[in-house]
Amino acid sequence: MAIAIDSTQGYLMADDLASGVVSVFLINSDGTLTFNANFGTGQSTPVGIGAVNTNVNNYVFTANMKGGFVQPFVRSAGALTQKNPANDPNAPTGLAIDSAGLFLYTGNSATGTIAQLAINASVCSGAPLCLVRTVQAEHHTNANA
């Protein structure tokens, strides 16, 4: 469905909408890819993906439209460890991470909103990710967005 490269440029991740997993590939020095493994429960529907290296952990996040959540994974080399999901109940689809690695944003297809989620913030009570707020994606709001 979507792909992301971590900021070290060492790994490419692809989410699979049909099987609900994330595939991790090593990016070789000549640009070719070597498959590493699949990660996830297979119970989600990831439609957006992003990766960020913070001062706490290396993360991969997937937006899961049908489940209404963003799934965080901690990445260590080519392995992903699934963490508790963050609620994003408005059908998150697109996903972007700010350049500082502090916030993640999703485009929400159910409500025409953009959700802001904090990464490793004190407001998250120890969770790697939590919903901070949503804002209307359009001015004037399109009820059919």
Side-chain angles (χ1 to χ4, degrees):
M1 187 66 191
I3 61 174
I5 295 176
D6 76 329
S7 63
T8 68
Q9 303 291 309
Y11 295 93
L12 180 137
M13 284 72 59
D15 62 9
D16 186 324
L17 179 65
S19 65
V21 298
V22 176
S23 299
V24 177
F25 298 84
L26 172 66
I27 302 173
N28 300 306
S29 60
D30 64 356
T32 59
L33 300 175
T34 301
F35 175 75
N36 183 58
N38 291 327
F39 298 92
T41 63
Q43 298 174 348
S44 62
T45 52
V47 295
I49 190 167
V52 64
N53 299 330
T54 71
N55 60 352
V56 176
N57 279 308
N58 299 326
Y59 289 108
V60 174
F61 300 103
T62 60
N64 294 270
M65 181 174 60
K66 289 185 181 176
F69 62 93
V70 177
Q71 180 65 62
F73 296 87
V74 173
R75 184 185 62 77
S76 177
L80 301 180
T81 302
Q82 194 168 335
K83 298 297 182 180
N84 289 333
N87 189 30
D88 188 356
N90 300 309
T93 53
L95 185 147
I97 300 170
D98 77 327
S99 61
L102 300 175
F103 296 101
L104 178 149
Y105 301 91
T106 60
N108 296 318
S109 62
T111 57
T113 59
I114 297 171
Q116 177 188 17
L117 293 97
I119 300 171
N120 286 330
S122 60
V123 298
C124 296
S125 301
L129 189 69
C130 65
L131 181 65
V132 175
R133 68 182 57 86
T134 59
V135 297
Q136 294 300 316
E138 299 174 342
H139 180 78
H140 301 277
T141 302
N142 177 357
N144 297 317

